[in-house]
Amino acid sequence: MSAQDLDGGSDAEADGSGEMPKPHTIRLELADEPGQLLAALAPISDNGGNLLSIFHERGNLTPRGHIPVEVDLECPPDRFERIVDALRDAGVNVIRAGAEHFGEEVMVILVGDTVDSDLSDTLHRIESSADATLQDLSLSAREGTDEASSARLRLAVRSGRVDETLAVVRDLAAEKGLHVVEPLAEGSQ
């Protein structure tokens, strides 16, 4: 007797999708604060994902000082992208989803009123509009927030998408009156 016989059918048949669940891995970056892991798991459950395992690397930190978390789940293939989108919509930094991998890296410097032009908005829009995720940020403001400042961004970019990512950075910089120094070679920090 199979597991399918015991429960009267597979989950895929029960929800009408017609596709059998397949395993997927998502790598997240979470702040070390109470409730962050639980909040990151809600979009998975809410969109039909079934958790298989969670590897919470509390002893390791990403370059931004966050904790990497690897989540193994299963869902029909047509739901996986919806789960990843829901995680991003919830503000969870998805480092890698399934085969999606940020294989290239680019560094740029934004110069101008980076703080007054809403740096948080700039970073969010880069991550939302480009196939990139922020790996590291260094902010320099000699005279405080009222004077020109600079922000060095290290972005992980999907393979083959560096030019598109740089175009997004240039457009945002032009919109906000910032100058872009790009791209910086690795090690020129």
Side-chain angles (χ1 to χ4, degrees), residues 151-163:
R152 182 188 51 140
L153 313 177
R154 183 166 53 98
L155 302 168
V157 182
R158 280 201 196 133
S159 297
R161 301 288 181 100
V162 170
D163 289 339

Side-chain angles (χ1 to χ4, degrees), residues 13-71:
E13 292 171 337
D15 69 12
S17 73
E19 292 192 63
M20 294 298 296
K22 293 191 165 80
H24 301 276
T25 299
I26 301 175
R27 190 154 175 88
L28 310 173
E29 181 183 67
L30 302 176
D32 189 11
E33 298 172 3
Q36 291 295 301
L37 179 58
L38 184 59
L41 298 178
I44 296 170
S45 174
D46 293 347
N47 288 282
N50 182 36
L51 290 174
L52 299 174
S53 69
I54 301 168
F55 183 59
H56 186 259
E57 300 178 52
R58 190 135 199 261
N60 291 331
L61 294 178
T62 66
R64 295 196 310 174
H66 292 102
I67 297 173
V69 176
E70 192 165 280
V71 178

Side-chain angles (χ1 to χ4, degrees), residues 108-112 117 122 125-126 166-182:
V108 297
I109 296 177
L110 300 176
V111 181
S117 67
T122 303
R125 288 172 61 190
I126 289 170
L166 288 173
V168 168
V169 171
R170 285 184 208 111
D171 290 346
L172 280 168
E175 175 187 322
K176 295 183 174 220
L178 302 173
H179 300 282
V180 181
V181 179
E182 51 140 304

Side-chain angles (χ1 to χ4, degrees), residues 110 114-124 137 139 151 153 176:
L110 300 176
T114 58
V115 176
D116 287 342
S117 67
D118 194 351
L119 183 59
S120 178
D121 172 68
T122 303
L123 299 175
H124 175 73
L137 167 69
L139 182 64
L153 313 177
K176 295 183 174 220

Side-chain angles (χ1 to χ4, degrees), residues 88 93-97 99-108 123 125-136 153-170 182-184 186:
R88 289 183 171 136
N93 189 10
V94 177
I95 298 171
R96 181 176 40 92
E100 173 186 283
H101 183 66
F102 297 102
E104 296 184 53
E105 187 174 277
V106 64
M107 259 191 269
V108 297
L123 299 175
R125 288 172 61 190
I126 289 170
E127 287 188 324
S128 298
S129 302
D131 286 325
T133 186
L134 180 68
Q135 293 295 301
D136 188 42
L153 313 177
R154 183 166 53 98
L155 302 168
V157 182
R158 280 201 196 133
S159 297
R161 301 288 181 100
V162 170
D163 289 339
E164 292 170 40
T165 299
L166 288 173
V168 168
V169 171
R170 285 184 208 111
E182 51 140 304
L184 299 176
E186 184 64 36

